[in-house]
Amino acid sequence: MNGIAKKILSVVLFLVCIGLVYLIYQGIMEPVNFNKEKARREAVAIQRLKDIRDLQVAYKSVTGRFVSTVDSLCDFYKKGEMKVVMQVGSKDDSLAMAHTEAVKKANRKITPADLYKMYLAGDKNLVFAVESKIAVKDTLFHNRTDFVVDSLKYIPFSGQQPVEMEATVRKVSGVDVPLFEARMPYRAFLDDVNKQLRINLDAERETQGHFKGLQVGSVTAPNNNAGNWE
């Protein structure tokens, strides 16, 4: 083998080694990059599921049940009202409590609304709770600059695939219990990252008996509306 052939062979072997090192590096980094992107996307999806849960709980406080569609939750947020109880004064203030009782005895038909009017008129030595209604959108998420209610309908990073949601009422120890669950499958928001690693993740979750994605609540058994990431 002459000198030129040796040089060519050396270059080829060097390039082969570089290629092998690159393939090994890629094999190591693929799952690392997948898990990093998975964590980033899950954080967005989890916040969306938490927002859905907060709206479901608010909806139930008004109607006594959960709702099965995110569209209905969005409509509730935009147009609905919630009852709020405002506590005025402290029950630990004995002088204020005595004064309030005296006012009530003087007028046995007096209502909390009447007491509130007296309070606004200048009698600050009153203790009472008054109930009022407030728009849902003025109560929930109003300090969140990143909150867009219409985005709750879609699984993030999925090309606007809809959130999967159900609601039902089940008998638990003879009592009707409203239940709901909202789901975001991994196949919806991770498939474009690395399909094979996503399939492997689904298989692992299935083996463990877990939902293949993120889920909040459960329509099969009460779980205090917990998320499967908690």
Side-chain angles (χ1 to χ4, degrees), residues 154-166:
Y154 306 114
I155 299 172
F157 312 105
S158 72
Q160 293 198 333
Q161 291 186 46
V163 172
E164 300 173 3
M165 194 162 76
E166 298 177 64

Side-chain angles (χ1 to χ4, degrees), residues 22-225:
Y22 177 76
L23 290 174
I24 292 170
Y25 175 79
Q26 285 293 97
I28 293 172
M29 291 306 297
E30 274 189 1
V32 172
N33 291 334
F34 176 80
N35 287 329
K36 183 177 179 180
E37 182 64 11
K38 171 177 171 286
R40 185 182 77 86
R41 294 189 180 195
E42 279 186 331
V44 178
I46 286 170
Q47 183 59 61
R48 196 160 295 182
L49 288 172
K50 286 181 176 179
D51 292 343
I52 288 173
R53 175 172 61 189
D54 288 345
L55 270 175
Q56 282 279 28
V57 171
Y59 186 92
K60 179 176 175 288
S61 73
V62 174
T63 66
R65 60 185 176 85
F66 293 119
V67 67
S68 60
T69 68
V70 184
D71 279 330
S72 296
L73 281 182
C74 293
D75 191 61
F76 171 68
Y77 175 80
K78 294 173 183 177
K79 303 175 184 176
E81 293 182 325
M82 296 175 61
K83 290 181 180 179
V84 295
V85 177
M86 179 176 65
Q87 178 66 44
V88 178
S90 172
K91 292 182 179 180
D92 294 330
D93 186 336
S94 58
L95 291 177
M97 286 295 295
H99 172 66
T100 303
E101 288 302 316
V103 171
K104 289 180 178 179
K105 286 180 180 179
N107 184 356
R108 295 190 178 277
K109 293 184 179 181
I110 198 167
T111 66
D114 296 326
L115 290 173
Y116 187 51
K117 289 178 182 178
M118 293 175 63
Y119 177 83
L120 293 177
D123 190 346
K124 305 300 182 183
N125 200 26
L126 291 168
V127 180
F128 60 94
V130 63
E131 186 179 275
S132 62
K133 287 186 177 181
I134 187 170
V136 175
K137 62 184 178 181
D138 292 335
T139 306
L140 295 177
F141 317 125
H142 62 285
N143 290 325
R144 284 260 306 279
T145 57
D146 64 332
F147 180 76
V148 180
V149 67
D150 288 324
S151 69
L152 295 184
K153 295 182 283 188
Y154 306 114
I155 299 172
F157 312 105
S158 72
Q160 293 198 333
Q161 291 186 46
V163 172
E164 300 173 3
M165 194 162 76
E166 298 177 64
T168 189
V169 176
R170 290 191 179 277
K171 288 282 187 184
V172 180
S173 300
V175 178
D176 287 338
V177 178
L179 301 171
F180 90 95
E181 69 180 43
R183 302 178 299 271
M184 295 184 181
Y186 285 135
R187 69 174 183 273
F189 68 92
L190 287 178
D191 209 43
D192 66 324
V193 180
N194 186 310
K195 191 177 185 69
Q196 186 56 55
L197 289 178
R198 195 275 302 164
I199 290 173
N200 295 345
L201 175 62
D202 279 354
E204 179 184 348
R205 299 284 293 182
E206 188 172 21
T207 300
Q208 296 170 345
H210 300 317
F211 174 66
K212 294 179 286 188
L214 296 172
Q215 175 180 321
V216 63
S218 171
V219 294
T220 58
N223 71 346
N224 201 30
N225 305 325

